[in-house]
Amino acid sequence: MKLKGRVAIVTGAGRGIGRAIAITLAREGANIVVNDIDLQAAEETVKIIKAMGYEALAIKADVSNKNEVDSMIKKTLEAFGRIDILVNNAGIFSSTLIENITEQQWNRIMDVNLKGVLLCSQAVIKTMKNQRFGKIVNITSLAGKVGGIFSGADYAASKAGVICLTKSLAKQLAPYGINVNAIAPGVIETDMTKYWPKEVKESFLKQIPLGRFGKPEEVAEVVLFLVSDASNYITGEIIDVNGGYLMD
Ligand SMILES: NC(=O)c1ccc[n+]([C@@H]2O[C@H](COP(=O)([O-])OP(=O)(O)OC[C@H]3O[C@@H](n4cnc5c(N)ncnc54)[C@H](O)[C@@H]3O)[C@@H](O)[C@H]2O)c1
């Protein structure tokens, strides 16, 4: 087991990529805090992990709300006594045309996708600094590197922000033994992409050398690498998981 005794918080882990990450880290021995804005979904993930014989706790919090995030960290410390791993996965999608993006929608996307990463990271820094150990992984997106293709400019800009935030956190936290990296998935088969129009999916498929979309577990395995000791000398890196769509 690669993560025995470690404590991990995975945001947005009620379904999709976050659920796969929570299950994968649990399988390697980490105690998992399953965060989601949807408590029922988080509890469902906890049930799956417990059925596998591992420890997990569901905590409802909106990652864009500082009070709720701080309370989640407090509850995590009360339950498990330390925080070794934070995976900032929670996110919301938009495919709105640029001229139709309202100010309200822009703010919500930025609040959840970008400010949420800042708030959750800020909330664990003190604990990780005291431990002189921590691993933070942020889930950005291919859209954050190449601009919105089908996704909206608001979504793409928020994810580009996550890339820069990752590098800034990596530089500032490195002296304290805290590694900060990100993963930029391409198209992954989850509820987020399920309802994309057929022609959009077909057009993407033509540009993916591996000829298929990714699975949540294929993102989760890269998270596992980034939170395990195998990646101790990697920080500030953005790893593509996109079937070869973008090779940079
Ligand atoms: N699916 C893809 O193709 C893809 C590609 C690139 C990046 N991503 C990113 O991966 C992450 C996970 O995506 P997914 O496909 O699993 O999405 P999803 O919509 O299936 O799951 C997202 C989860 O986050 C939760 N969530 C939403 N807002 C929240 C908030 N404010 N606080 C806490 N939880 C919240 C949702 O309830 C849901 O359970 C997102 O950040 C997404 O932008 C996904």
Side-chain angles (χ1 to χ4, degrees):
M1 282 191 173
K2 295 179 179 135
L3 306 175
K4 196 150 182 48
R6 302 233 162 117
V7 176
I9 299 174
V10 184
T11 68
R15 66 179 195 207
I17 295 171
R19 174 176 284 179
I21 295 168
I23 291 171
T24 301
L25 304 191
R27 191 194 68 209
E28 292 297 331
N31 295 315
I32 312 290
V33 166
V34 177
N35 156 264
D36 209 285
I37 198 167
D38 177 347
L39 183 61
Q40 214 181 324
E43 281 170 345
E44 198 52 47
T45 302
V46 166
K47 212 188 284 176
I48 295 169
I49 293 175
K50 287 196 166 165
M52 291 162 59
Y54 303 113
E55 197 50 54
L57 173 70
I59 300 183
K60 179 182 164 148
D62 176 343
V63 295
S64 71
N65 181 310
K66 185 170 161 44
N67 286 339
E68 292 184 24
V69 168
D70 289 347
S71 152
M72 168 171 76
I73 300 311
K74 196 165 165 265
K75 284 182 199 157
T76 302
L77 289 170
E78 279 164 11
F80 297 118
R82 53 186 293 123
I83 301 167
D84 302 287
I85 295 162
L86 168 66
V87 184
N88 285 307
N89 163 82
I92 50 175
F93 185 70
S94 141
S95 58
T96 310
L97 282 177
I98 198 152
E99 58 267 44
N100 296 333
I101 296 170
T102 62
E103 204 178 338
Q104 190 188 16
Q105 179 177 318
W106 173 273
N107 288 343
R108 184 64 187 154
I109 292 256
M110 289 296 162
D111 278 356
V112 176
N113 293 3
L114 184 53
K115 191 176 83 177
V117 175
L118 175 76
L119 293 179
C120 292
S121 302
Q122 280 180 325
V124 300
I125 285 173
K126 192 172 159 219
T127 304
M128 287 184 174
K129 273 187 175 177
N130 286 342
Q131 294 168 177
R132 294 201 76 78
F133 179 85
K135 301 267 194 180
I136 299 177
V137 178
N138 301 325
I139 308 298
T140 175
S141 170
L142 169 67
K145 285 186 152 190
V146 302
I149 309 161
F150 170 63
S151 35
D154 45 358
Y155 177 81
S158 71
K159 292 297 187 177
V162 171
I163 291 175
C164 197
L165 183 54
T166 300
K167 293 178 181 177
S168 303
L169 286 166
K171 284 178 182 166
Q172 292 186 27
L173 299 179
Y176 305 95
I178 303 168
N179 299 52
V180 189
N181 292 290
I183 296 173
V187 184
I188 309 297
E189 289 171 348
T190 68
D191 286 3
M192 192 175 271
T193 52
K194 194 154 72 183
Y195 301 106
W196 285 16
K198 199 165 158 261
E199 58 279 12
V200 171
K201 288 191 174 177
E202 281 169 1
S203 145
F204 263 102
L205 270 180
K206 281 191 201 135
Q207 297 169 74
I208 300 174
L210 287 179
R212 63 174 179 83
F213 298 137
K215 297 185 187 331
E217 294 73 21
E218 291 173 317
V219 177
E221 289 298 333
V222 183
V223 173
L224 173 60
F225 167 68
L226 288 175
V227 303
S228 75
D229 292 342
S231 61
N232 280 349
Y233 199 52
I234 299 177
T235 200
E237 180 61 31
I238 317 299
I239 300 186
D240 291 324
V241 181
N242 61 29
Y245 183 103
L246 173 74
M247 300 181 185
D248 64 348

